[in-house]
Amino acid sequence: MPNIKSAKKRVKVNATKNLRNKAIKTNLKTTLKKVATAVETGANAEEAARLAYKKIDQAAAKGVLHKNTAARRKAAIAKKVNQA
């Protein structure tokens, strides 16, 4: 455990940010799974993809995902939806 006051604050801030990032990543993974099932069943794949794009963009805006990673994931989703 740190002794310096600023280091103690960093531990608290990092823990808070870790929880926020974990929540965003978990929500994103759930949305991507919903897109995959929608593509397999063929029901509302475009709607699921639209929601996934939104979640990916939000994660990139928060700094959880790099912008190129976000673009790559969106392109992969579009490819799957267009093939279906």
Side-chain angles (χ1 to χ4, degrees):
M1 192 68 194
N3 293 323
I4 299 170
K5 187 175 182 180
S6 62
K8 289 179 183 178
K9 181 179 179 184
R10 292 301 328 153
V11 169
K12 289 182 180 180
V13 170
N14 288 339
T16 304
K17 288 185 177 185
N18 185 21
L19 288 175
R20 184 197 71 169
N21 291 343
K22 187 182 286 189
I24 293 170
K25 285 181 184 180
T26 303
N27 198 345
L28 181 62
K29 287 179 189 177
T30 303
T31 306
L32 294 178
K33 287 177 187 176
K34 287 180 182 178
V35 170
T37 56
V39 167
E40 288 176 8
T41 60
N44 281 339
E46 292 84 11
E47 179 68 22
R50 190 180 62 77
L51 291 173
Y53 293 155
K54 182 178 179 181
K55 293 292 181 186
I56 290 171
D57 288 337
Q58 287 175 345
K62 297 272 186 184
V64 177
L65 289 180
H66 190 272
K67 66 176 186 171
N68 290 350
T69 304
R72 189 177 68 241
R73 289 189 180 183
K74 286 166 62 174
I77 291 171
K79 186 176 179 182
K80 287 180 185 177
V81 170
N82 289 335
Q83 285 179 349

